[in-house]
Amino acid sequence: TQKEFTENASHELQTPLAIFQSKLDLLLQQPGLTRQQAELMQGLYETSNRLSRLNRNLLLLAKIDNRQYGQMEDIGLVGFLQELVPSLKSIAAGITLARHYENPIPAVHANRTLLESLVNNLVINAVRHNRPNGKIYLTVQGRELTITNTSDEPALDARLIFNRFYRPSEKTKGSGLGLAIARAICEYHGWTVGYSYGDGMHSFTVSF
């Protein structure tokens, strides 16, 4: 029943959102728009994009909860991360991404799609809570992957940060689902994810 619901929800929500966005595209191309009208439409467009992301994230969580990602394989962790580096750098946008691999395990048994989503969500979180021209450190040591970022923000609440829709402040961007997805992916594979703070650095560590 849950699987059928998620499939129906995906279809029923994504289709009208796509139509809404395409009509906004057409409106934004109309000649004679005033500055105020264009700004209002741009705001609607950004809200529509956020709804689309929220829909995808909620469906991803539902599918993980329902264990719909059955295809597992042994993935070389360092090689996998190296393949992701170009897209991770585009996410980081001006923030330095440093990498260090020390005695990494040769492979993890995982669903490739979920492993990529896990890394992406942790890097996006590190970007959002970073400072301008800051740094992100991607470290693999033994059976642990740690993503650390510089920040001007104080420590987060380790008891709440992995809860769905938790946002430490109204200034925080995003839907509040990224870290919840990261934890769900870890639990799905039997891994753990933890948070720590020290010397102005936020760190998230995945233990395989």
Side-chain angles (χ1 to χ4, degrees):
T1 301
Q2 187 178 26
K3 182 179 178 181
E4 185 178 355
F5 168 77
T6 56
E7 290 171 351
N8 289 341
S10 176
H11 174 74
E12 296 297 333
L13 290 172
Q14 288 178 5
T15 301
L17 281 171
I19 293 171
F20 184 73
Q21 285 182 328
S22 66
K23 289 187 176 181
L24 275 177
D25 284 335
L26 291 173
L27 280 172
L28 284 168
Q29 295 169 22
Q30 294 297 311
L33 281 179
T34 67
R35 182 187 180 93
Q36 185 180 18
Q37 289 171 332
E39 288 176 352
L40 285 171
M41 287 182 194
Q42 187 62 37
L44 287 172
Y45 196 82
E46 290 170 1
T47 300
S48 178
N49 283 334
R50 185 181 175 197
L51 281 170
S52 295
R53 290 194 301 271
L54 181 62
N55 179 46
R56 287 195 300 271
N57 286 340
L58 286 171
L59 288 169
L60 175 60
L61 279 168
K63 288 180 178 180
I64 293 171
D65 289 344
N66 200 35
R67 306 195 68 79
Q68 288 178 234
Y69 289 91
Q71 186 174 352
M72 308 289 277
E73 59 184 295
D74 289 328
I75 301 171
L77 185 58
V78 171
F80 177 80
L81 291 173
Q82 287 298 101
E83 290 175 7
L84 287 182
V85 165
S87 64
L88 294 179
K89 284 186 175 179
S90 67
I91 292 172
I95 295 172
T96 302
L97 181 65
R99 304 180 301 282
H100 176 69
Y101 309 126
E102 184 178 338
N103 300 320
I105 54 173
V108 294
H109 193 63
N111 177 277
R112 184 173 293 270
T113 300
L114 292 183
L115 182 59
E116 183 173 346
S117 180
L118 169 65
V119 176
N120 283 340
N121 275 296
L122 290 177
V123 170
I124 288 170
N125 182 75
V127 171
R128 285 191 177 136
H129 293 279
N130 220 310
R131 63 167 70 108
N133 302 314
K135 291 185 178 181
I136 295 174
Y137 300 91
L138 192 69
T139 305
V140 178
Q141 187 171 13
R143 303 189 64 85
E144 292 185 341
L145 164 66
T146 301
I147 296 176
T148 303
N149 63 279
T150 53
S151 180
D152 294 326
E153 301 175 15
L156 302 171
D157 191 333
R159 300 167 301 172
L160 300 174
I161 53 175
F162 294 105
N163 291 347
R164 297 180 186 186
F165 300 110
Y166 172 71
R167 300 168 72 187
S169 72
E170 291 301 317
K171 296 180 181 179
T172 305
K173 297 180 180 179
S175 62
L177 288 175
L179 292 178
I181 289 172
R183 182 176 66 176
I185 291 171
C186 286
E187 290 177 347
Y188 184 87
H189 290 89
W191 308 333
T192 60
V193 59
Y195 165 77
S196 62
Y197 176 83
D199 298 325
M201 309 277 280
H202 298 276
S203 295
F204 288 86
T205 299
V206 177
S207 299
F208 299 106

